[in-house]
PDB file of all heavy atoms in Angstrom:
ATOM      1  N   SER A  15     167.561 154.706  81.574  1.00 98.00           N
ATOM      2  CA  SER A  15     168.832 155.276  82.050  1.00 98.00           C
ATOM      3  C   SER A  15     168.633 156.501  82.943  1.00 98.00           C
ATOM      4  O   SER A  15     169.489 156.843  83.733  1.00 98.00           O
ATOM      5  CB  SER A  15     169.725 155.645  80.872  1.00 98.00           C
ATOM      6  OG  SER A  15     169.142 156.680  80.131  1.00 98.00           O
ATOM      7  N   CYS A  16     167.483 157.180  82.809  1.00 97.00           N
ATOM      8  CA  CYS A  16     167.276 158.396  83.605  1.00 97.00           C
ATOM      9  C   CYS A  16     165.850 158.430  84.142  1.00 97.00           C
ATOM     10  O   CYS A  16     165.517 157.670  85.050  1.00 97.00           O
ATOM     11  CB  CYS A  16     167.634 159.620  82.764  1.00 97.00           C
ATOM     12  SG  CYS A  16     167.682 161.139  83.730  1.00 97.00           S
ATOM     13  N   ASP A  17     164.993 159.251  83.554  1.00 95.00           N
ATOM     14  CA  ASP A  17     163.646 159.375  84.113  1.00 95.00           C
ATOM     15  C   ASP A  17     162.550 159.042  83.119  1.00 95.00           C
ATOM     16  O   ASP A  17     161.390 159.408  83.332  1.00 95.00           O
ATOM     17  CB  ASP A  17     163.438 160.780  84.701  1.00 95.00           C
ATOM     18  CG  ASP A  17     163.534 161.865  83.644  1.00 95.00           C
ATOM     19  OD1 ASP A  17     164.122 161.602  82.579  1.00 95.00           O
ATOM     20  OD2 ASP A  17     163.026 162.978  83.868  1.00 95.00           O
ATOM     21  N   GLU A  18     162.878 158.344  82.042  1.00 96.00           N
ATOM     22  CA  GLU A  18     161.834 157.879  81.126  1.00 96.00           C
ATOM     23  C   GLU A  18     161.862 156.361  81.163  1.00 96.00           C
ATOM     24  O   GLU A  18     162.919 155.763  80.988  1.00 96.00           O
ATOM     25  CB  GLU A  18     162.112 158.314  79.662  1.00 96.00           C
ATOM     26  CG  GLU A  18     162.521 159.757  79.475  1.00 96.00           C
ATOM     27  CD  GLU A  18     161.375 160.732  79.532  1.00 96.00           C
ATOM     28  OE1 GLU A  18     160.300 160.364  80.049  1.00 96.00           O
ATOM     29  OE2 GLU A  18     161.551 161.879  79.089  1.00 96.00           O
ATOM     30  N   HIS A 117     173.866 153.719  75.814  1.00 98.00           N
ATOM     31  CA  HIS A 117     172.845 154.749  75.559  1.00 98.00           C
ATOM     32  C   HIS A 117     173.325 155.776  74.519  1.00 98.00           C
ATOM     33  O   HIS A 117     172.556 156.214  73.653  1.00 98.00           O
ATOM     34  CB  HIS A 117     172.534 155.437  76.896  1.00 98.00           C
ATOM     35  CG  HIS A 117     171.514 156.499  76.828  1.00 98.00           C
ATOM     36  ND1 HIS A 117     170.156 156.257  76.910  1.00 98.00           N
ATOM     37  CD2 HIS A 117     171.634 157.846  76.696  1.00 98.00           C
ATOM     38  CE1 HIS A 117     169.504 157.401  76.819  1.00 98.00           C
ATOM     39  NE2 HIS A 117     170.367 158.385  76.693  1.00 98.00           N
ATOM     40  N   LEU A 118     174.594 156.135  74.597  1.00 98.00           N
ATOM     41  CA  LEU A 118     175.138 157.149  73.666  1.00 98.00           C
ATOM     42  C   LEU A 118     175.203 156.598  72.251  1.00 98.00           C
ATOM     43  O   LEU A 118     175.017 157.336  71.277  1.00 98.00           O
ATOM     44  CB  LEU A 118     176.529 157.589  74.131  1.00 98.00           C
ATOM     45  CG  LEU A 118     176.536 158.344  75.452  1.00 98.00           C
ATOM     46  CD1 LEU A 118     177.954 158.566  75.948  1.00 98.00           C
ATOM     47  CD2 LEU A 118     175.806 159.680  75.298  1.00 98.00           C
ATOM     48  N   HIS A 121     171.786 157.032  70.841  1.00 98.00           N
ATOM     49  CA  HIS A 121     171.594 158.381  70.286  1.00 98.00           C
ATOM     50  C   HIS A 121     172.358 158.523  68.952  1.00 98.00           C
ATOM     51  O   HIS A 121     171.823 159.061  67.989  1.00 98.00           O
ATOM     52  CB  HIS A 121     172.119 159.445  71.263  1.00 98.00           C
ATOM     53  CG  HIS A 121     171.145 159.780  72.363  1.00 98.00           C
ATOM     54  ND1 HIS A 121     169.847 160.160  72.120  1.00 98.00           N
ATOM     55  CD2 HIS A 121     171.296 159.812  73.721  1.00 98.00           C
ATOM     56  CE1 HIS A 121     169.226 160.407  73.269  1.00 98.00           C
ATOM     57  NE2 HIS A 121     170.077 160.201  74.260  1.00 98.00           N
ATOM     58  N   VAL A 141     173.641 165.799  71.230  1.00 98.00           N
ATOM     59  CA  VAL A 141     173.383 166.877  72.208  1.00 98.00           C
ATOM     60  C   VAL A 141     172.228 166.471  73.117  1.00 98.00           C
ATOM     61  O   VAL A 141     171.067 166.512  72.722  1.00 98.00           O
ATOM     62  CB  VAL A 141     173.091 168.224  71.496  1.00 98.00           C
ATOM     63  CG1 VAL A 141     174.379 168.941  71.170  1.00 98.00           C
ATOM     64  CG2 VAL A 141     172.259 168.066  70.235  1.00 98.00           C
ATOM     65  N   SER A 142     172.580 166.048  74.338  1.00 97.00           N
ATOM     66  CA  SER A 142     171.540 165.580  75.254  1.00 97.00           C
ATOM     67  C   SER A 142     171.667 166.311  76.583  1.00 97.00           C
ATOM     68  O   SER A 142     172.424 167.268  76.716  1.00 97.00           O
ATOM     69  CB  SER A 142     171.670 164.069  75.433  1.00 97.00           C
ATOM     70  OG  SER A 142     172.799 163.776  76.206  1.00 97.00           O
ATOM     71  N   GLY A 143     170.933 165.818  77.579  1.00 95.00           N
ATOM     72  CA  GLY A 143     170.991 166.455  78.881  1.00 95.00           C
ATOM     73  C   GLY A 143     172.307 166.223  79.595  1.00 95.00           C
ATOM     74  O   GLY A 143     172.736 167.041  80.412  1.00 95.00           O
ATOM     75  N   GLY A 144     172.957 165.111  79.291  1.00 94.00           N
ATOM     76  CA  GLY A 144     174.194 164.782  79.992  1.00 94.00           C
ATOM     77  C   GLY A 144     175.433 164.834  79.111  1.00 94.00           C
ATOM     78  O   GLY A 144     176.559 164.753  79.625  1.00 94.00           O
ATOM     79  N   HIS A 145     175.262 164.926  77.789  1.00 96.00           N
ATOM     80  CA  HIS A 145     176.421 164.824  76.895  1.00 96.00           C
ATOM     81  C   HIS A 145     176.353 165.793  75.728  1.00 96.00           C
ATOM     82  O   HIS A 145     175.268 166.125  75.250  1.00 96.00           O
ATOM     83  CB  HIS A 145     176.538 163.391  76.346  1.00 96.00           C
ATOM     84  CG  HIS A 145     176.806 162.381  77.408  1.00 96.00           C
ATOM     85  ND1 HIS A 145     175.798 161.801  78.133  1.00 96.00           N
ATOM     86  CD2 HIS A 145     177.971 161.898  77.902  1.00 96.00           C
ATOM     87  CE1 HIS A 145     176.325 160.988  79.022  1.00 96.00           C
ATOM     88  NE2 HIS A 145     177.638 161.019  78.920  1.00 96.00           N
ATOM     89  N   ALA A 168     175.023 170.571  76.496  1.00 97.00           N
ATOM     90  CA  ALA A 168     174.110 171.549  75.886  1.00 97.00           C
ATOM     91  C   ALA A 168     172.741 171.512  76.566  1.00 97.00           C
ATOM     92  O   ALA A 168     172.145 172.563  76.843  1.00 97.00           O
ATOM     93  CB  ALA A 168     173.971 171.270  74.391  1.00 97.00           C
ATOM     94  N   GLY A 169     172.247 170.317  76.863  1.00 97.00           N
ATOM     95  CA  GLY A 169     170.943 170.190  77.530  1.00 97.00           C
ATOM     96  C   GLY A 169     170.990 170.791  78.930  1.00 97.00           C
ATOM     97  O   GLY A 169     170.017 171.392  79.392  1.00 97.00           O
ATOM     98  N   GLU A 170     172.126 170.603  79.589  1.00 96.00           N
ATOM     99  CA  GLU A 170     172.304 171.186  80.929  1.00 96.00           C
ATOM    100  C   GLU A 170     172.261 172.703  80.839  1.00 96.00           C
ATOM    101  O   GLU A 170     171.723 173.377  81.723  1.00 96.00           O
ATOM    102  CB  GLU A 170     173.684 170.782  81.455  1.00 96.00           C
ATOM    103  CG  GLU A 170     173.656 169.817  82.597  1.00 96.00           C
ATOM    104  CD  GLU A 170     175.083 169.444  82.996  1.00 96.00           C
ATOM    105  OE1 GLU A 170     175.881 169.102  82.091  1.00 96.00           O
ATOM    106  OE2 GLU A 170     175.367 169.517  84.191  1.00 96.00           O
ATOM    107  N   ALA A 171     172.902 173.241  79.784  1.00 97.00           N
ATOM    108  CA  ALA A 171     172.905 174.698  79.597  1.00 97.00           C
ATOM    109  C   ALA A 171     171.469 175.191  79.450  1.00 97.00           C
ATOM    110  O   ALA A 171     171.080 176.205  80.032  1.00 97.00           O
ATOM    111  CB  ALA A 171     173.731 175.073  78.373  1.00 97.00           C
ATOM    112  N   PHE A 172     170.657 174.468  78.675  1.00 98.00           N
ATOM    113  CA  PHE A 172     169.241 174.836  78.543  1.00 98.00           C
ATOM    114  C   PHE A 172     168.536 174.724  79.891  1.00 98.00           C
ATOM    115  O   PHE A 172     167.830 175.646  80.312  1.00 98.00           O
ATOM    116  CB  PHE A 172     168.541 173.916  77.525  1.00 98.00           C
ATOM    117  CG  PHE A 172     168.578 174.435  76.113  1.00 98.00           C
ATOM    118  CD1 PHE A 172     169.412 173.868  75.163  1.00 98.00           C
ATOM    119  CD2 PHE A 172     167.762 175.497  75.731  1.00 98.00           C
ATOM    120  CE1 PHE A 172     169.450 174.352  73.858  1.00 98.00           C
ATOM    121  CE2 PHE A 172     167.789 175.989  74.434  1.00 98.00           C
ATOM    122  CZ  PHE A 172     168.639 175.416  73.494  1.00 98.00           C
ATOM    123  N   ASP A 173     168.726 173.584  80.570  1.00 96.00           N
ATOM    124  CA  ASP A 173     167.967 173.333  81.807  1.00 96.00           C
ATOM    125  C   ASP A 173     168.388 174.273  82.935  1.00 96.00           C
ATOM    126  O   ASP A 173     167.539 174.780  83.678  1.00 96.00           O
ATOM    127  CB  ASP A 173     168.129 171.868  82.248  1.00 96.00           C
ATOM    128  CG  ASP A 173     167.518 170.907  81.241  1.00 96.00           C
ATOM    129  OD1 ASP A 173     166.697 171.346  80.426  1.00 96.00           O
ATOM    130  OD2 ASP A 173     167.863 169.710  81.275  1.00 96.00           O
ATOM    131  N   TYR A 183     160.945 172.520  85.299  1.00 92.00           N
ATOM    132  CA  TYR A 183     161.761 171.426  84.776  1.00 92.00           C
ATOM    133  C   TYR A 183     160.925 170.562  83.840  1.00 92.00           C
ATOM    134  O   TYR A 183     159.761 170.322  84.148  1.00 92.00           O
ATOM    135  CB  TYR A 183     162.288 170.574  85.944  1.00 92.00           C
ATOM    136  CG  TYR A 183     162.812 169.246  85.510  1.00 92.00           C
ATOM    137  CD1 TYR A 183     164.123 169.111  85.060  1.00 92.00           C
ATOM    138  CD2 TYR A 183     161.980 168.115  85.504  1.00 92.00           C
ATOM    139  CE1 TYR A 183     164.594 167.879  84.620  1.00 92.00           C
ATOM    140  CE2 TYR A 183     162.455 166.896  85.068  1.00 92.00           C
ATOM    141  CZ  TYR A 183     163.749 166.788  84.621  1.00 92.00           C
ATOM    142  OH  TYR A 183     164.217 165.577  84.181  1.00 92.00           O
ATOM    143  N   PRO A 184     161.438 170.020  82.757  1.00 91.00           N
ATOM    144  CA  PRO A 184     162.758 170.304  82.182  1.00 91.00           C
ATOM    145  C   PRO A 184     162.724 171.579  81.358  1.00 91.00           C
ATOM    146  O   PRO A 184     161.819 171.791  80.563  1.00 91.00           O
ATOM    147  CB  PRO A 184     163.015 169.074  81.306  1.00 91.00           C
ATOM    148  CG  PRO A 184     161.649 168.607  80.897  1.00 91.00           C
ATOM    149  CD  PRO A 184     160.674 169.047  81.961  1.00 91.00           C
ATOM    150  N   GLY A 185     163.726 172.407  81.541  1.00 95.00           N
ATOM    151  CA  GLY A 185     163.702 173.752  80.993  1.00 95.00           C
ATOM    152  C   GLY A 185     163.877 173.853  79.493  1.00 95.00           C
ATOM    153  O   GLY A 185     163.406 174.829  78.888  1.00 95.00           O
ATOM    154  N   GLY A 186     164.555 172.884  78.879  1.00 97.00           N
ATOM    155  CA  GLY A 186     164.850 172.976  77.442  1.00 97.00           C
ATOM    156  C   GLY A 186     163.622 173.251  76.594  1.00 97.00           C
ATOM    157  O   GLY A 186     163.562 174.272  75.884  1.00 97.00           O
ATOM    158  N   PRO A 187     162.612 172.380  76.678  1.00 97.00           N
ATOM    159  CA  PRO A 187     161.417 172.605  75.849  1.00 97.00           C
ATOM    160  C   PRO A 187     160.707 173.916  76.191  1.00 97.00           C
ATOM    161  O   PRO A 187     160.164 174.581  75.300  1.00 97.00           O
ATOM    162  CB  PRO A 187     160.516 171.406  76.180  1.00 97.00           C
ATOM    163  CG  PRO A 187     161.399 170.377  76.796  1.00 97.00           C
ATOM    164  CD  PRO A 187     162.556 171.093  77.403  1.00 97.00           C
ATOM    165  N   GLU A 188     160.711 174.301  77.464  1.00 97.00           N
ATOM    166  CA  GLU A 188     160.060 175.557  77.885  1.00 97.00           C
ATOM    167  C   GLU A 188     160.776 176.753  77.272  1.00 97.00           C
ATOM    168  O   GLU A 188     160.176 177.701  76.782  1.00 97.00           O
ATOM    169  CB  GLU A 188     160.123 175.686  79.415  1.00 97.00           C
ATOM    170  CG  GLU A 188     159.120 174.832  80.144  1.00 97.00           C
ATOM    171  CD  GLU A 188     157.687 175.282  79.906  1.00 97.00           C
ATOM    172  OE1 GLU A 188     157.414 176.486  80.017  1.00 97.00           O
ATOM    173  OE2 GLU A 188     156.846 174.419  79.597  1.00 97.00           O
ATOM    174  N   LEU A 189     162.111 176.709  77.344  1.00 98.00           N
ATOM    175  CA  LEU A 189     162.913 177.804  76.789  1.00 98.00           C
ATOM    176  C   LEU A 189     162.682 177.924  75.279  1.00 98.00           C
ATOM    177  O   LEU A 189     162.567 179.029  74.737  1.00 98.00           O
ATOM    178  CB  LEU A 189     164.387 177.522  77.084  1.00 98.00           C
ATOM    179  CG  LEU A 189     165.165 178.673  77.676  1.00 98.00           C
ATOM    180  CD1 LEU A 189     166.257 178.189  78.583  1.00 98.00           C
ATOM    181  CD2 LEU A 189     165.757 179.518  76.579  1.00 98.00           C
ATOM    182  N   ASP A 190     162.612 176.778  74.635  1.00 98.00           N
ATOM    183  CA  ASP A 190     162.349 176.711  73.198  1.00 98.00           C
ATOM    184  C   ASP A 190     161.007 177.404  72.902  1.00 98.00           C
ATOM    185  O   ASP A 190     160.911 178.285  72.029  1.00 98.00           O
ATOM    186  CB  ASP A 190     162.302 175.221  72.801  1.00 98.00           C
ATOM    187  CG  ASP A 190     162.075 174.991  71.325  1.00 98.00           C
ATOM    188  OD1 ASP A 190     161.694 175.941  70.623  1.00 98.00           O
ATOM    189  OD2 ASP A 190     162.272 173.849  70.860  1.00 98.00           O
ATOM    190  N   ARG A 191     159.986 177.043  73.689  1.00 97.00           N
ATOM    191  CA  ARG A 191     158.636 177.580  73.476  1.00 97.00           C
ATOM    192  C   ARG A 191     158.600 179.093  73.700  1.00 97.00           C
ATOM    193  O   ARG A 191     158.111 179.843  72.873  1.00 97.00           O
ATOM    194  CB  ARG A 191     157.688 176.879  74.443  1.00 97.00           C
ATOM    195  CG  ARG A 191     156.210 176.972  74.090  1.00 97.00           C
ATOM    196  CD  ARG A 191     155.387 176.117  75.052  1.00 97.00           C
ATOM    197  NE  ARG A 191     155.625 176.443  76.462  1.00 97.00           N
ATOM    198  CZ  ARG A 191     155.089 177.472  77.105  1.00 97.00           C
ATOM    199  NH1 ARG A 191     154.310 178.301  76.454  1.00 97.00           N
ATOM    200  NH2 ARG A 191     155.338 177.680  78.389  1.00 97.00           N
ATOM    201  N   GLN A 248     168.997 181.214  74.207  1.00 98.00           N
ATOM    202  CA  GLN A 248     168.890 180.087  73.275  1.00 98.00           C
ATOM    203  C   GLN A 248     169.757 180.306  72.043  1.00 98.00           C
ATOM    204  O   GLN A 248     170.439 179.385  71.571  1.00 98.00           O
ATOM    205  CB  GLN A 248     167.430 179.891  72.851  1.00 98.00           C
ATOM    206  CG  GLN A 248     167.262 178.872  71.731  1.00 98.00           C
ATOM    207  CD  GLN A 248     165.810 178.649  71.353  1.00 98.00           C
ATOM    208  OE1 GLN A 248     165.148 177.789  71.897  1.00 98.00           O
ATOM    209  NE2 GLN A 248     165.314 179.444  70.423  1.00 98.00           N
ATOM    210  N   SER A 274     171.583 164.256  66.969  1.00 98.00           N
ATOM    211  CA  SER A 274     170.706 163.457  67.835  1.00 98.00           C
ATOM    212  C   SER A 274     170.725 163.969  69.269  1.00 98.00           C
ATOM    213  O   SER A 274     171.491 164.855  69.622  1.00 98.00           O
ATOM    214  CB  SER A 274     171.184 162.004  67.808  1.00 98.00           C
ATOM    215  OG  SER A 274     172.512 161.926  68.310  1.00 98.00           O
ATOM    216  N   GLY A 275     169.878 163.362  70.106  1.00 98.00           N
ATOM    217  CA  GLY A 275     169.788 163.734  71.523  1.00 98.00           C
ATOM    218  C   GLY A 275     168.656 164.725  71.736  1.00 98.00           C
ATOM    219  O   GLY A 275     168.198 165.388  70.788  1.00 98.00           O
ATOM    220  N   GLY A 276     168.215 164.851  72.993  1.00 98.00           N
ATOM    221  CA  GLY A 276     167.058 165.671  73.320  1.00 98.00           C
ATOM    222  C   GLY A 276     167.120 167.087  72.782  1.00 98.00           C
ATOM    223  O   GLY A 276     166.115 167.626  72.312  1.00 98.00           O
ATOM    224  N   VAL A 277     168.311 167.700  72.814  1.00 98.00           N
ATOM    225  CA  VAL A 277     168.434 169.099  72.367  1.00 98.00           C
ATOM    226  C   VAL A 277     168.188 169.221  70.856  1.00 98.00           C
ATOM    227  O   VAL A 277     167.821 170.285  70.362  1.00 98.00           O
ATOM    228  CB  VAL A 277     169.809 169.677  72.778  1.00 98.00           C
ATOM    229  CG1 VAL A 277     170.018 171.075  72.233  1.00 98.00           C
ATOM    230  CG2 VAL A 277     169.947 169.687  74.302  1.00 98.00           C
ATOM    231  N   SER A 278     168.344 168.111  70.127  1.00 98.00           N
ATOM    232  CA  SER A 278     168.124 168.185  68.671  1.00 98.00           C
ATOM    233  C   SER A 278     166.640 168.395  68.357  1.00 98.00           C
ATOM    234  O   SER A 278     166.267 168.588  67.205  1.00 98.00           O
ATOM    235  CB  SER A 278     168.673 166.948  67.953  1.00 98.00           C
ATOM    236  OG  SER A 278     167.875 165.820  68.203  1.00 98.00           O
ATOM    237  N   ARG A 279     165.782 168.360  69.381  1.00 98.00           N
ATOM    238  CA  ARG A 279     164.369 168.716  69.163  1.00 98.00           C
ATOM    239  C   ARG A 279     164.188 170.222  69.092  1.00 98.00           C
ATOM    240  O   ARG A 279     163.133 170.714  68.693  1.00 98.00           O
ATOM    241  CB  ARG A 279     163.502 168.202  70.310  1.00 98.00           C
ATOM    242  CG  ARG A 279     163.247 166.732  70.267  1.00 98.00           C
ATOM    243  CD  ARG A 279     162.442 166.315  71.461  1.00 98.00           C
ATOM    244  NE  ARG A 279     161.027 166.583  71.262  1.00 98.00           N
ATOM    245  CZ  ARG A 279     160.072 165.683  71.461  1.00 98.00           C
ATOM    246  NH1 ARG A 279     160.394 164.468  71.859  1.00 98.00           N
ATOM    247  NH2 ARG A 279     158.822 165.981  71.277  1.00 98.00           N
ATOM    248  N   ASN A 280     165.206 170.955  69.517  1.00 98.00           N
ATOM    249  CA  ASN A 280     165.085 172.413  69.576  1.00 98.00           C
ATOM    250  C   ASN A 280     164.791 172.995  68.189  1.00 98.00           C
ATOM    251  O   ASN A 280     165.519 172.737  67.224  1.00 98.00           O
ATOM    252  CB  ASN A 280     166.374 173.021  70.148  1.00 98.00           C
ATOM    253  CG  ASN A 280     166.261 174.519  70.291  1.00 98.00           C
ATOM    254  OD1 ASN A 280     166.637 175.258  69.386  1.00 98.00           O
ATOM    255  ND2 ASN A 280     165.719 174.976  71.397  1.00 98.00           N
ATOM    256  N   ARG A 281     163.739 173.814  68.120  1.00 98.00           N
ATOM    257  CA  ARG A 281     163.271 174.279  66.805  1.00 98.00           C
ATOM    258  C   ARG A 281     164.253 175.219  66.127  1.00 98.00           C
ATOM    259  O   ARG A 281     164.469 175.141  64.919  1.00 98.00           O
ATOM    260  CB  ARG A 281     161.899 174.942  66.953  1.00 98.00           C
ATOM    261  CG  ARG A 281     160.817 173.925  67.238  1.00 98.00           C
ATOM    262  CD  ARG A 281     159.515 174.594  67.573  1.00 98.00           C
ATOM    263  NE  ARG A 281     159.632 175.447  68.751  1.00 98.00           N
ATOM    264  CZ  ARG A 281     158.660 176.250  69.170  1.00 98.00           C
ATOM    265  NH1 ARG A 281     157.544 176.352  68.496  1.00 98.00           N
ATOM    266  NH2 ARG A 281     158.813 176.978  70.263  1.00 98.00           N
ATOM    267  N   ALA A 306     164.592 161.449  69.330  1.00 98.00           N
ATOM    268  CA  ALA A 306     165.649 162.365  69.779  1.00 98.00           C
ATOM    269  C   ALA A 306     165.784 162.338  71.290  1.00 98.00           C
ATOM    270  O   ALA A 306     166.875 162.167  71.834  1.00 98.00           O
ATOM    271  CB  ALA A 306     165.347 163.788  69.297  1.00 98.00           C
ATOM    272  N   THR A 307     164.661 162.501  72.006  1.00 98.00           N
ATOM    273  CA  THR A 307     164.711 162.382  73.473  1.00 98.00           C
ATOM    274  C   THR A 307     164.762 160.895  73.812  1.00 98.00           C
ATOM    275  O   THR A 307     164.521 160.039  72.953  1.00 98.00           O
ATOM    276  CB  THR A 307     163.469 163.047  74.119  1.00 98.00           C
ATOM    277  OG1 THR A 307     162.351 162.843  73.267  1.00 98.00           O
ATOM    278  CG2 THR A 307     163.676 164.524  74.324  1.00 98.00           C
ATOM    279  N   ASP A 308     165.077 160.598  75.079  1.00 98.00           N
ATOM    280  CA  ASP A 308     165.312 159.208  75.456  1.00 98.00           C
ATOM    281  C   ASP A 308     164.145 158.291  75.081  1.00 98.00           C
ATOM    282  O   ASP A 308     162.995 158.597  75.366  1.00 98.00           O
ATOM    283  CB  ASP A 308     165.599 159.125  76.954  1.00 98.00           C
ATOM    284  CG  ASP A 308     166.981 159.671  77.263  1.00 98.00           C
ATOM    285  OD1 ASP A 308     167.747 159.929  76.302  1.00 98.00           O
ATOM    286  OD2 ASP A 308     167.311 159.826  78.453  1.00 98.00           O
ATOM    287  N   ASN A 309     164.486 157.194  74.447  1.00 98.00           N
ATOM    288  CA  ASN A 309     163.489 156.224  73.983  1.00 98.00           C
ATOM    289  C   ASN A 309     164.148 154.858  73.850  1.00 98.00           C
ATOM    290  O   ASN A 309     165.381 154.755  73.809  1.00 98.00           O
ATOM    291  CB  ASN A 309     162.926 156.678  72.629  1.00 98.00           C
ATOM    292  CG  ASN A 309     163.975 156.641  71.530  1.00 98.00           C
ATOM    293  OD1 ASN A 309     164.150 155.636  70.861  1.00 98.00           O
ATOM    294  ND2 ASN A 309     164.735 157.727  71.358  1.00 98.00           N
ATOM    295  N   MET A 312     165.644 153.520  69.902  1.00 98.00           N
ATOM    296  CA  MET A 312     167.054 153.698  69.476  1.00 98.00           C
ATOM    297  C   MET A 312     167.937 152.601  70.080  1.00 98.00           C
ATOM    298  O   MET A 312     168.966 152.237  69.493  1.00 98.00           O
ATOM    299  CB  MET A 312     167.561 155.105  69.855  1.00 98.00           C
ATOM    300  CG  MET A 312     167.720 155.338  71.340  1.00 98.00           C
ATOM    301  SD  MET A 312     168.297 157.024  71.689  1.00 98.00           S
ATOM    302  CE  MET A 312     168.693 156.906  73.439  1.00 98.00           C
TER     303      MET A 312
HETATM  304  O1  KG4 B 401     168.496 162.837  75.170  1.00 54.30           O
HETATM  305  P1  KG4 B 401     167.693 163.256  76.336  1.00 54.30           P
HETATM  306  O2  KG4 B 401     166.218 162.938  76.333  1.00 54.30           O
HETATM  307  O3  KG4 B 401     168.244 162.696  77.680  1.00 54.30           O
HETATM  308  C1  KG4 B 401     169.608 162.511  77.949  1.00 54.30           C
HETATM  309  O4  KG4 B 401     170.185 161.528  77.480  1.00 54.30           O
HETATM  310  O5  KG4 B 401     170.117 163.408  78.656  1.00 54.30           O
HETATM  311  O6  KG4 B 401     167.903 164.846  76.488  1.00 54.30           O
HETATM  312  C2  KG4 B 401     167.257 165.581  77.461  1.00 54.30           C
HETATM  313  C3  KG4 B 401     167.659 167.023  77.283  1.00 54.30           C
HETATM  314  C4  KG4 B 401     167.172 167.908  78.422  1.00 54.30           C
HETATM  315  O7  KG4 B 401     168.256 168.705  78.841  1.00 54.30           O
HETATM  316  C5  KG4 B 401     166.079 168.731  77.771  1.00 54.30           C
HETATM  317  O8  KG4 B 401     165.895 170.014  78.345  1.00 54.30           O
HETATM  318  C6  KG4 B 401     166.609 168.852  76.362  1.00 54.30           C
HETATM  319  O9  KG4 B 401     167.109 167.561  76.083  1.00 54.30           O
HETATM  320  N1  KG4 B 401     165.554 169.205  75.398  1.00 54.30           N
HETATM  321  C7  KG4 B 401     165.540 170.391  74.732  1.00 54.30           C
HETATM  322  C8  KG4 B 401     164.364 170.378  73.953  1.00 54.30           C
HETATM  323  N2  KG4 B 401     163.708 169.200  74.170  1.00 54.30           N
HETATM  324  C9  KG4 B 401     164.463 168.487  75.062  1.00 54.30           C
HETATM  325  N3  KG4 B 401     166.402 171.424  74.731  1.00 54.30           N
HETATM  326  C10 KG4 B 401     166.109 172.468  73.947  1.00 54.30           C
HETATM  327  N4  KG4 B 401     164.997 172.544  73.189  1.00 54.30           N
HETATM  328  C11 KG4 B 401     164.105 171.531  73.154  1.00 54.30           C
HETATM  329  N5  KG4 B 401     163.012 171.621  72.394  1.00 54.30           N
END
Side-chain angles (χ1 to χ4, degrees):
S15 66
C16 190
D17 63 340
E18 314 282 18
H117 180 85
L118 294 172
H121 278 307
V141 275
S142 72
H145 296 86
E170 249 178 311
F172 270 106
D173 295 342
Y183 164 85
E188 283 293 312
L189 229 149
D190 182 346
R191 198 174 55 80
Q248 172 178 270
S274 61
V277 175
S278 72
R279 284 178 81 130
N280 183 267
R281 288 172 300 173
T307 35
D308 287 351
N309 66 89
M312 69 181 190

